[in-house]
Amino acid sequence: MRVTRETKTLDFMLALGTSLREQCSAVVNLIAVSGSMSRSKIMDELGWSRSTTTRAVTTLLDERLLLEDLTHDGVGRGRPAALLRLNPTAGTIVGVDLGFTSVRVILAALDHRVIASDESKLAPSYGADEGFRAAREMVERLLRSTGTSWEKVIGAGFAVGAPIDSESNSVTLESLRQHWTGDLQAWASQYFPCPAFIGNDTRLACYAELLWGTGRDYDNFIYLKLHSGTGGCFVINRTIVAGAKGGAGEIGHMIVDPGGEICRCGGRGCLETKVGVPAMLRSLSPALGAQVTWEDVRGHLADGDAATLRAFADAYDAIGQASASLCNILNPQAVILGGALSRTSPDIAQTVGDITRRHALSINSDVRVEVGELGRNSAALGAVAYVLMQGIV
Ligand SMILES: [Zn+2]
């Protein structure tokens, strides 16, 4: 499916001179990821003069891409402060989470509010073509149901469950995602008539939690994605550690059992072979049958089934021990959990927290373990953040 590019809502930017366009873009991207702020805060953040700031802000207010709210200081004196925020109706962003067995799409307003969402189940070995096609079909339906046109869509971000080379936009470990070879950004652009951006799903989910979720409260934290795959992401001084080629954080492939199962990465005894959803389903099949699904497991857990409780206790031990090792290395303020496993059992944060603190060095005794508040939208929201960060104009 080939598509042609259409005129964009924000095309007024293209008519501006280069320097003013870049300045407007910087203001929009700053407010998009940091939230509403005053003119003086923009000056400080971007290191600009008052006149440069005023010129860019005035242009954006005239085009109604920015709106201005007056707030009082709370004691009834002094001039009200003007806070600038993005006009949420000025554009729509598509976020896509290309998981192992499902594709989830969201439409988000410029203030990252989720307007609509949908999800499709696909076969575990689905390829990029199938994934992008399913995403495009869902987006078309969501655009129609919300009365939005492609003209309003500023960009689409794609979260892929595999390590992504940040320079070539390709999957670096193809055994993890077969049928996903080549430049995925170029591939996505064949299906989506808007700028497209590709990133690793765990890192994007972490980015969303950092900006808009549980990570807002922490400068240093570890994000663990506990899903079909097991991933990690480290935030140090509110910056995500990417690594030399964008491959940092693959804690799912940390060896926790040298005599354990062969992993899909080609290694043996990786954490993912103990706590990934497919691994847990395999371990439960002698007790619950080979066809057992994660939905079944949720029910068995709620019912207190002995085998299911055993499987979860073992998984929590493995996660807690891995988390303790990571805490000893990074000494974070918090460990934030995401993925299906984090949403299955209400006691996961408490239990993994207790195990983490028990095994970690005493300097980590107050580390907090929490479930990320953005839930199943986290990776798709991270993809939205990625668009806002670098692709809005
Ligand atoms: Zn592995």
Side-chain angles (χ1 to χ4, degrees):
M1 184 178 358
R2 282 202 169 267
V3 291
T4 53
R5 293 189 179 278
E6 301 172 32
T7 306
K8 292 280 170 273
T9 306
L10 302 186
D11 274 359
F12 77 89
M13 299 283 274
L14 302 177
L16 304 175
T18 304
S19 69
L20 181 56
R21 185 170 70 237
E22 288 174 357
Q23 287 156 2
C24 287
S25 179
V27 171
V28 169
N29 293 347
L30 175 65
I31 294 177
V33 297
S34 303
S36 57
M37 62 180 70
S38 65
R39 286 173 174 76
S40 56
K41 176 82 171 162
I42 293 171
M43 281 173 57
D44 288 348
E45 291 285 331
L46 297 176
W48 289 352
S49 68
R50 184 173 301 278
S51 62
T52 300
T53 307
T54 300
R55 192 166 71 124
V57 166
T58 302
T59 303
L60 293 166
L61 285 169
D62 288 348
E63 295 289 345
R64 294 196 54 75
L65 187 50
L66 285 186
L67 301 176
E68 192 166 27
D69 297 324
L70 295 181
T71 60
H72 290 274
D73 58 11
V75 294
R77 291 196 311 214
R79 289 174 55 193
L83 282 182
L84 299 157
R85 63 182 169 95
L86 291 180
N87 180 352
T89 64
T92 299
I93 299 166
V94 173
V96 180
D97 181 2
L98 295 154
F100 284 98
T101 58
S102 64
V103 177
R104 184 170 182 80
V105 301
I106 63 172
L107 298 185
L110 283 195
D111 58 359
H112 65 266
R113 185 172 43 88
V114 176
I115 301 164
S117 63
D118 198 2
E119 188 166 327
S120 288
K121 290 278 178 209
L122 295 180
S125 58
Y126 79 89
D129 260 326
E130 272 178 277
F132 290 132
R133 186 180 302 118
R136 172 72 195 261
E137 287 169 4
M138 281 189 281
V139 170
E140 291 288 355
R141 284 199 297 274
L142 293 180
L143 289 174
R144 275 198 302 276
S145 68
T146 56
T148 311
S149 71
W150 277 105
E151 285 185 10
K152 280 270 196 181
V153 176
I154 288 161
F158 298 85
V160 180
I164 303 291
D165 184 309
S166 50
E167 289 180 5
S168 66
N169 293 307
S170 60
V171 173
T172 54
L173 195 53
E174 289 176 13
S175 65
L176 295 186
R177 289 305 281 262
Q178 292 170 9
H179 317 299
W180 289 75
T181 51
D183 183 335
L184 297 181
Q185 190 161 305
W187 211 341
S189 296
Q190 292 184 16
Y191 285 89
F192 282 78
C194 60
F197 302 92
I198 302 285
N200 169 265
D201 61 347
T202 304
R203 195 164 308 146
L204 291 176
C206 179
Y207 190 47
E209 291 288 355
L210 171 68
L211 294 177
W212 305 320
T214 306
R216 277 175 310 210
D217 301 331
Y218 302 112
D219 292 334
N220 295 279
F221 67 90
I222 295 167
Y223 180 81
L224 298 183
K225 183 186 177 187
L226 308 168
H227 205 77
S228 301
T230 305
C233 187
F234 311 131
V235 172
I236 296 177
N237 296 331
R238 295 200 65 74
T239 300
I240 286 178
V241 177
K245 294 175 72 178
E250 291 294 333
I251 65 121
H253 304 286
M254 186 161 68
I255 299 167
V256 295
D257 180 6
E261 279 183 53
I262 296 278
C263 178
R264 65 198 172 102
C265 74
R268 184 185 286 283
C270 299
L271 179 63
E272 189 175 293
T273 65
K274 300 285 182 191
V275 306
V277 166
M280 289 185 67
L281 291 176
R282 272 198 309 279
S283 77
L284 281 166
S285 63
L288 303 177
Q291 303 304 316
V292 65
T293 67
W294 194 249
E295 273 311 301
D296 300 334
V297 169
R298 282 173 173 276
H300 288 299
L301 185 67
D303 293 342
D305 170 72
T308 310
L309 290 173
R310 176 78 264 153
F312 273 76
D314 290 348
Y316 291 169
D317 276 339
I319 296 162
Q321 288 162 15
S323 162
S325 297
L326 294 171
C327 287
N328 287 345
I329 293 166
L330 291 167
N331 185 213
Q333 295 158 290
V335 177
I336 298 175
L337 308 178
L341 196 54
S342 76
R343 299 190 290 274
T344 299
S345 166
D347 69 349
I348 188 170
Q350 183 66 48
T351 310
V352 169
D354 290 344
I355 298 167
T356 299
R357 289 182 287 269
R358 188 161 72 241
H359 289 284
L361 295 174
S362 60
I363 195 167
N364 296 299
S365 61
D366 59 351
V367 68
R368 298 175 63 91
V369 175
E370 299 183 47
V371 173
E373 67 184 62
L374 300 178
R376 59 197 302 132
N377 279 336
S378 57
L381 274 170
V384 167
Y386 196 16
V387 175
L388 285 169
M389 180 178 69
Q390 59 175 308
I392 196 161
V393 285

